Amino acid sequence: MTIPADLKYTKSHEWARLEADGSVTVGITHHAQDLLGDMVFVENPVLGRKLTQGEECAVVESVKAASDVYAPIAGEVIAANADVEGAPEAINQDAYAAWMFKLKPDNAADLGSLLDAAAYQAIVDSEAH
Amino acid sequence: MPFIPHTEDDIQAMLARIGVPSIDQLFDEIPAALRSGKLTGVPQGMVEMDIARLMTERAESDGRFLNFAGAGAYEHHIPAAVWQIATRGEFYSAYTPYQAEASQGTLQLLYEFQTMMSSLTGMDVSNASLYDGASGLAEAVLMAVRAHKTSRRVLLPKTVHPFYRQVVNSIVKHQKIELVELDYDPAKGITALPQEKDFAALVIPQPNFFGCLEEVDLLTDWAHAQGGLVIGLVNPVALALLTPPGQWGSKGADIAVGEGQPLGSPLSSGGPYFGFMCCKQALVRQMPGRIIGRTVDLDGKPGFTLTLQAREQHIRRAKATSNICSNQGLMATAATIHMALLGPDGLERVASASHANTVALTEKLCAIPGVKKAFAQSVFHETVLQLNVPVADALRALEAQGIVGGFDLTSHYPELGQALLVCATETKTAADIEKFTEQLKRIVERRNAGPSCTKLVPGPNSKW
């Protein structure tokens, strides 16, 4: 089970989770880390940065490639996961536990514009062919 | 033997295939002004015996000058073994390091180069070399702006080599980066503490273009307190004596760059030379160029490979750190051999002797009436002198005596008047210094004794 049903997804392979306190946690999907291979570096956005939906805001680097991470929704960066920056391989071990950063959404309803698990599964399947 | 393997038939076949009538039309989008014309100075073709004779004659016509010019390129003794080893086939024709399985020798040598440069500069990491000191400084400016993220202003003192400042300007001016010129203290010849706020980096040359030693600790701590990075522009030979940039101030410089020519490259009319660049570990992903790492293979044996390639243009394309993913392999090879042969003690002796010779030369020259030191500040192996005769004339007269007397500063620093930058490395003997002194003394005395050939200019109070 590599696409949890309780998360929202983007076409660019980020996942987003609405937390009880209204913040949104962001990471990259299991499928994304599978494509990239062994992670060696994570660069998160600086705290306080205001992001628009789809804006490049972070970088994940593997032994094969460097890839940009895009903001799934608009909001302000309120936390960055220092553990993942210190040990990027955590993303390979469990992409959904190894979150990258948290946003305070401008508008939580924006999450509605993202893909659900089934729609994201369809994208992953289509990429496999 | 032609080095382009295509025959005329091959060329015609290829042109026919892509539907272009001629080579000229294939390249017609390149403006005529940019194409090299006929090389009239080079004969069309000569047999080896004739070309050998021509080159010998030309070399003799260059003469054997006694050289007291530095200004960014320094005449140091290069042990004969350096180029004997560097031009062995294994090094000279080394294959690209991108295929580790075919290039362990090259990779190991460059790794050793990086180790030596990191040690010399007191920094965490080094790349495998850049094109030269001036373009290396431009790369450092771009790197500092990338790392700083908020400011695009860089403080570039007037005590940085004027040619370097021109190169940096050419490379960064279209990147929306503002270069702020910093003035120097006219008595000391070193950068005055700036009154700037909001900048990405401060460049600190050590020694500076005048040969003077900047107050690096003070400047470094000041720049860090303003939230800027520090780029140390250093002479690698001087580092054998001076505090390495990694230890400047309380935190050390963030980036160290410089011209590597003094480490085993001959002057050879200005190139090829090589640039070096070192930085703190935290900035390594912003560093341009090749970086060699040490690792282990499948069997656990140590080996070397290019590392952090995700920064480079063949991986990240538009997002690459720099378009430079090459290096000056041969010059860096020579530098590595040069440093290995000299060792830290040898390099220190070279630096000490260069400093002592420059001090001795300055003392002798300043004993000539009409010659004085421009700045009170301590120097490494270069100093600015002010003459009471035109520098250009003095240099011409010295040249007639087989002496290159230094670098004329009058057009670059008109505020210094008739100023001359002189340098004496370890290659100069007491007799050489004596010869230069005698000749300059004769020239200055003759100019000052002779009838004045300057036009009478009306003074401010004259009633003409």
Side-chain angles (χ1 to χ4, degrees):
Chain A
M1 180 59 202
T2 58
I3 304 183
D6 60 330
L7 303 181
K8 290 289 196 175
Y9 300 90
T10 64
K11 287 180 187 164
S12 49
H13 310 287
E14 290 85 12
W15 58 260
R17 181 172 57 228
L18 181 63
E19 305 293 354
D21 64 0
S23 67
V24 170
T25 306
V26 181
I28 65 167
T29 65
H30 177 82
H31 176 67
Q33 68 78 30
D34 206 30
L35 290 176
L36 284 164
D38 292 344
M39 289 293 169
V40 293
F41 180 63
V42 170
E43 185 182 12
N44 274 318
V46 291
L47 296 188
R49 182 169 157 193
K50 293 188 171 37
L51 302 171
T52 55
Q53 189 168 22
E55 185 180 347
E56 286 172 16
C57 59
V59 177
V60 285
E61 196 178 296
S62 71
V63 289
K64 286 196 290 195
S67 180
D68 292 308
V69 176
Y70 304 90
I73 57 165
E76 184 186 330
V77 180
I78 54 170
N81 189 348
D83 292 347
V84 160
E85 290 166 26
E89 62 274 19
I91 295 176
N92 298 118
Q93 286 150 11
D94 186 347
Y96 300 106
W99 60 277
M100 289 177 60
F101 56 92
K102 289 182 192 283
L103 291 173
K104 182 176 159 202
D106 291 354
N107 182 358
D110 287 349
L111 283 166
S113 66
L114 302 180
L115 306 165
D116 62 14
Y120 182 63
Q121 179 76 60
I123 287 181
V124 172
D125 291 344
S126 72
E127 277 191 10
H129 297 303
Chain B
M1 156 184 169
F3 288 93
I4 299 172
H6 311 127
T7 63
E8 195 51 41
D9 289 348
D10 292 339
I11 292 169
Q12 289 310 324
M14 287 191 278
L15 287 170
R17 182 63 194 256
I18 58 172
V20 178
S22 70
I23 287 277
D24 281 346
Q25 273 169 291
L26 182 64
F27 294 116
D28 69 356
E29 66 185 86
I30 300 171
L34 294 179
R35 302 189 200 188
S36 62
K38 286 269 178 284
L39 299 172
T40 50
V42 181
Q44 263 311 305
M46 295 171 88
V47 297
E48 187 182 339
M49 191 170 74
D50 292 347
I51 195 85
R53 179 167 180 146
L54 178 73
M55 296 313 265
T56 308
E57 284 168 5
R58 294 238 171 122
E60 278 165 6
S61 75
D62 282 346
R64 290 180 55 83
F65 281 95
L66 190 57
N67 173 32
F68 288 92
Y74 302 95
E75 186 182 359
H76 287 290
H77 173 69
I78 302 169
V82 171
W83 285 94
Q84 194 66 38
I85 298 169
T87 51
R88 282 181 60 105
E90 297 93 327
F91 290 129
Y92 209 52
S93 59
Y95 190 62
T96 175
Y98 279 93
Q99 280 187 283
E101 67 276 20
S103 308
Q104 282 301 300
T106 301
L107 287 162
Q108 179 174 340
L109 185 128
L110 291 173
Y111 182 82
E112 288 173 11
F113 167 81
Q114 292 173 181
T115 305
M116 291 180 190
M117 294 315 297
S118 302
S119 163
L120 197 57
T121 56
M123 305 295 284
D124 299 329
V125 282
S126 165
N127 70 11
S129 76
L130 295 164
Y131 298 135
D132 62 11
S135 61
L137 179 61
E139 286 288 342
V141 165
L142 293 168
M143 177 175 163
V145 168
R146 281 195 301 272
H148 192 267
K149 291 198 172 97
T150 52
S151 175
R152 300 187 73 80
R153 295 173 81 238
V154 172
L155 311 183
L156 191 57
K158 268 185 92 168
T159 58
V160 168
H161 197 310
F163 297 169
Y164 280 39
R165 284 183 279 136
Q166 284 174 18
V167 169
V168 171
N169 185 48
S170 297
I171 293 176
V172 312
K173 70 180 170 192
H174 298 301
Q175 307 257 11
K176 298 193 175 68
I177 292 171
E178 185 193 349
L179 298 173
V180 182
E181 192 173 85
L182 297 181
D183 228 324
Y184 59 91
D185 176 333
K188 289 186 176 174
I190 56 172
T191 305
L193 203 60
Q195 296 295 314
E196 294 287 338
K197 289 262 186 292
D198 175 42
F199 57 90
L202 164 68
V203 177
I204 308 176
Q206 184 74 336
N208 71 23
F209 185 62
F210 301 144
C212 296
L213 302 184
E214 297 271 0
E215 293 169 335
V216 293
D217 295 338
L218 186 74
L219 290 168
T220 299
D221 286 341
W222 172 83
H224 282 154
Q226 310 299 319
L229 283 88
V230 170
I231 300 169
L233 173 65
V234 289
N235 177 319
V237 173
L239 292 179
L241 293 178
L242 304 176
T243 307
Q247 292 169 22
W248 291 357
S250 55
K251 286 196 268 178
D254 301 284
I255 304 170
V257 282
E259 173 55 65
Q261 175 276 328
L263 300 171
S265 295
L267 289 171
S268 55
S269 309
Y273 295 169
F274 74 92
F276 60 89
M277 181 187 268
C278 306
C279 69
K280 287 179 176 167
Q281 183 72 37
L283 293 173
V284 69
R285 282 165 200 279
Q286 295 295 345
M287 189 188 246
R290 291 172 171 167
I291 301 171
I292 318 299
R294 188 168 182 263
T295 182
V296 289
D297 67 7
L298 282 175
D299 306 324
K301 291 201 212 100
F304 301 91
T305 180
L306 284 165
T307 187
L308 296 177
Q309 289 187 73
R311 302 162 302 117
E312 295 194 54
Q313 61 183 5
H314 63 291
I315 307 270
R316 280 198 96 186
R317 300 196 176 92
K319 295 214 163 282
T321 300
S322 162
N323 292 121
I324 290 188
C325 54
S326 181
N327 72 306
Q328 281 283 48
L330 186 63
M331 311 322 278
T333 300
T336 310
I337 297 164
H338 185 81
M339 286 189 280
L341 287 169
L342 262 60
D345 297 350
L347 196 65
E348 195 175 314
R349 283 200 299 275
V350 168
S352 299
S354 299
H355 173 71
N357 278 344
T358 298
V359 169
L361 176 73
T362 308
E363 209 168 282
K364 292 252 185 213
L365 294 180
C366 289
I368 303 169
V371 179
K372 63 179 174 50
K373 262 179 80 168
F375 305 115
Q377 190 71 0
S378 306
V379 301
F380 169 51
H381 69 355
E382 228 165 343
T383 192
V384 179
L385 301 176
Q386 286 169 316
L387 313 184
N388 68 354
V389 301
V391 166
D393 295 356
L395 287 177
R396 258 196 307 277
L398 285 165
E399 195 179 324
Q401 301 300 320
I403 298 170
V404 176
F407 183 83
D408 185 346
L409 294 176
T410 49
S411 62
H412 300 286
Y413 298 92
E415 69 276 13
L416 295 176
Q418 294 302 325
L420 174 68
L421 184 66
V422 296
C423 168
T425 64
E426 84 286 3
T427 58
K428 298 297 166 284
T429 63
D432 293 338
I433 290 171
E434 199 52 51
K435 183 180 174 186
F436 184 17
T437 309
E438 276 172 27
Q439 293 300 334
L440 186 65
K441 186 166 189 264
R442 192 181 53 79
I443 291 161
V444 171
E445 280 172 356
R446 202 182 52 200
R447 286 280 318 201
N448 288 324
S452 169
C453 52
T454 49
K455 276 196 196 142
L456 284 174
V457 179
N461 302 323
S462 59
K463 299 192 173 71
W464 290 7

